[in-house]
Amino acid sequence: MTMYYIQYSLSWPLNFFSTLISALGLAPFGKARQARKSSPEEPQPKCISSNLYKPKNKDAEETPHIITMTSESDLSHILAQLSSLPPHSTQTASLLSKAKLTLLHLNALIPGPNTPASLLLLARRTLETGALISIRNQNPDAFTRYYQQLQPFYELPPSSYSASNSKPSEEEAVGQRSKVTGLYLLLLLTKGDYAGFHTLLEGLEVQAMGEGLEGDVFIRYPVMLEQWLMEGQYDRVWGAMKGKGVPSEEFAVFSEVLVVTIRSEIASCSEKAYPSLPIPNAKNLLFLDSEGSVVTFAQERGWVVKDGRIYFPLQQGQDVRTEKEILVASGQVIENTIGYARELETIV
């Protein structure tokens, strides 16, 4: 009797709550949980946040560090391959693409505040190698892109390239900045972009903080050429580009382009200054190697070659002038220039 009373006392509350839940239209907790598991419309969500952010073991914590070190070693290996290849090898393009993809994977294509010094050095070296290879392949557009990508690296303080608090070496701090910048100045010169040339040069002088750029052979070379071009001393420009004054083989590539630009400018001036020229004089004036080259160049320009002379086409609205008339006009120009000089001297 006592046991029956105990069982009834324990079962009564359970029966009461079960009846109450059924009256309210609710399912018991156990059945509701079982229904949610078996219902195809409401799949049970899986908790994945712990798997994403909590490594399962100690090896998983060290995995990112191992990948980074492997990628940096791969990048060093690619750069070593590039330096061992001949200048015009067909493998350079694919190796440069692999190197830039590695930089992108390491998030080092643009320098950041947390980029390690070793990775900064490798990234800058990769872009500088690509710039020099573009010059050797005579691809000025690719060189311009590399030059622009290098600017964030060149603006970093020298201490960014040192792994410790010690002072970095000159090669680590500067790299090939002078060489790449000098080549870009020469590229602007060949394009006739004198405004961009002087804007960049003024920025370099400000960065030099009054120390001057005369001691930098890579910067001094395009500056001298620009000065001689402005003065019309084309013979000095020709001598500098053909002599031993060329700083490196990459500058010689641009020198050939600059010769074509100078020759075209001289030809345009000659068309307006002379009605005709003897072929030997034209050969010296245009810096050509032989009289046959003069004839070929004249035909390309649409000039008439006859009886050992080159006859320039008349400009629109221009009358034929004799050599005597040309000398008279030149004398008037000289006389006027001397008069202006005397007036300025009296004013001063």
Side-chain angles (χ1 to χ4, degrees):
M1 183 68 179
T2 304
M3 292 298 295
Y4 175 77
Y5 176 76
I6 293 173
Q7 291 178 356
Y8 176 77
S9 299
L10 293 175
S11 61
W12 178 84
L14 296 175
N15 294 334
F16 173 76
F17 283 110
S18 299
T19 305
L20 180 61
I21 291 173
S22 300
L24 295 176
L26 301 174
F29 176 74
K31 294 182 179 180
R33 185 175 182 182
Q34 184 177 3
R36 285 198 301 269
K37 290 183 178 180
S38 60
S39 176
E41 298 179 357
E42 299 180 1
Q44 184 180 5
K46 296 180 180 180
C47 181
I48 61 173
S49 59
S50 60
N51 295 332
L52 286 175
Y53 300 104
K54 295 181 180 179
K56 295 181 179 180
N57 50 42
K58 185 178 179 181
D59 295 335
E61 297 178 358
E62 299 177 354
T63 301
H65 178 70
I66 296 174
I67 293 175
T68 302
M69 293 302 294
T70 305
S71 299
E72 288 189 20
S73 62
D74 289 343
L75 185 58
S76 301
H77 181 66
I78 293 173
L79 291 175
Q81 287 181 309
L82 284 171
S83 60
S84 63
L85 290 175
H88 302 286
S89 175
T90 56
Q91 301 178 11
T92 55
S94 60
L95 288 175
L96 279 174
S97 298
K98 291 180 181 179
K100 288 186 288 186
L101 284 175
T102 305
L103 287 178
L104 189 62
H105 171 72
L106 294 171
N107 196 22
L109 200 57
I110 298 176
N114 299 324
T115 307
S118 59
L119 191 55
L120 285 175
L121 290 170
L122 288 174
R124 188 185 64 185
R125 183 184 168 193
T126 301
L127 297 176
E128 287 176 343
T129 303
L132 297 179
I133 289 176
S134 300
I135 290 297
R136 294 166 190 161
N137 294 334
Q138 300 184 7
N139 191 346
D141 295 333
F143 171 74
T144 302
R145 289 193 295 269
Y146 279 111
Y147 174 80
Q148 293 172 350
Q149 291 174 342
L150 278 166
Q151 296 315 301
F153 292 90
Y154 290 156
E155 293 174 358
L156 293 175
S159 59
S160 300
Y161 295 99
S162 177
S164 60
N165 295 327
S166 60
K167 185 178 180 180
S169 63
E170 184 177 357
E171 183 179 358
E172 291 178 345
V174 179
Q176 302 193 64
R177 179 178 184 178
S178 295
K179 189 174 187 178
V180 174
T181 305
L183 287 169
Y184 188 69
L185 284 170
L186 195 55
L187 174 62
L188 295 176
L189 201 60
T190 57
K191 291 182 176 181
D193 188 1
Y194 297 104
F197 181 92
H198 287 284
T199 300
L200 177 58
L201 190 59
E202 290 176 4
L204 294 175
E205 291 175 351
V206 171
Q207 294 176 3
M209 301 178 63
E211 295 181 1
L213 302 173
E214 293 80 7
D216 193 333
V217 62
F218 297 115
I219 304 298
R220 187 176 69 246
Y221 180 74
V223 170
M224 288 192 309
L225 293 183
E226 190 271 341
Q227 181 179 356
W228 292 335
L229 285 173
M230 293 297 99
E231 296 173 356
Q233 301 185 39
Y234 298 122
D235 54 340
R236 299 191 67 177
V237 177
W238 176 264
M241 292 187 298
K242 294 298 181 182
K244 298 181 179 180
V246 182
S248 66
E249 58 176 339
E250 292 84 9
F251 284 83
V253 174
F254 269 126
S255 298
E256 296 177 1
V257 180
L258 190 58
V259 166
V260 176
T261 304
I262 294 173
R263 187 174 291 129
S264 178
E265 187 173 350
I266 294 174
S268 300
C269 295
S270 300
E271 291 176 348
K272 299 176 181 179
Y274 307 104
S276 65
L277 277 176
I279 291 180
N281 294 358
K283 180 176 76 69
N284 297 330
L285 187 64
L286 298 172
F287 302 106
L288 292 171
D289 298 331
S290 62
E291 296 185 0
S293 301
V294 176
V295 174
T296 303
F297 183 79
Q299 293 174 351
E300 293 175 355
R301 300 276 305 189
W303 298 341
V304 178
V305 181
K306 184 179 179 181
D307 299 332
R309 295 182 69 90
I310 295 176
Y311 294 88
F312 303 110
L314 295 176
Q315 304 294 324
Q316 186 176 2
Q318 180 180 358
D319 298 330
V320 178
R321 295 192 301 173
T322 61
E323 294 184 3
K324 183 178 180 180
E325 292 175 342
I326 295 174
L327 291 175
V328 172
S330 301
Q332 292 177 352
V333 172
I334 295 173
E335 185 178 354
N336 292 336
T337 304
I338 294 175
Y340 296 149
R342 288 174 179 173
E343 291 180 3
L344 288 173
E345 187 176 349
T346 56
I347 293 174
V348 174

